[in-house]
Amino acid sequence: MSKRKPAFLLGEALITLSLLSGMLVLEYEQLSQFKQQEQKLSRQYDAMKQDSLDAMTAWHAYAQK
């Protein structure tokens, strides 16, 4: 390692830093998309649950007649 020139080490460090920064940006994007999808699915689930309760209430009212 003592044979390497400081400029070469600096170049390697900059490349490594660039790659790590790129990976962090990609990970952040994936996490952001995951949270958006999770919120969307949660809203859909809540709507389906409410529809199910409404249908059961309507069926119960119909059966009572």
Side-chain angles (χ1 to χ4, degrees):
M1 194 156 170
S2 62
K3 293 182 181 182
R4 292 184 179 181
K5 295 183 180 180
F8 181 74
L9 291 176
L10 180 61
E12 281 185 336
L14 289 174
I15 289 171
T16 302
L17 182 61
S18 297
L19 291 172
L20 287 173
S21 297
M23 292 302 292
L24 285 174
V25 168
L26 290 175
E27 287 295 323
Y28 177 79
E29 284 295 319
Q30 285 184 337
L31 183 62
S32 177
Q33 289 177 3
F34 173 79
K35 287 187 178 202
Q36 289 175 354
Q37 185 69 15
E38 184 180 35
Q39 290 173 351
K40 179 182 173 185
L41 290 173
S42 179
R43 286 191 302 268
Q44 287 178 345
Y45 175 75
D46 291 341
M48 290 290 214
K49 191 166 53 170
Q50 187 60 46
D51 289 345
S52 177
L53 287 172
D54 293 344
M56 284 190 279
T57 303
W59 175 253
H60 182 71
Y62 173 77
Q64 292 295 324
K65 289 183 181 182

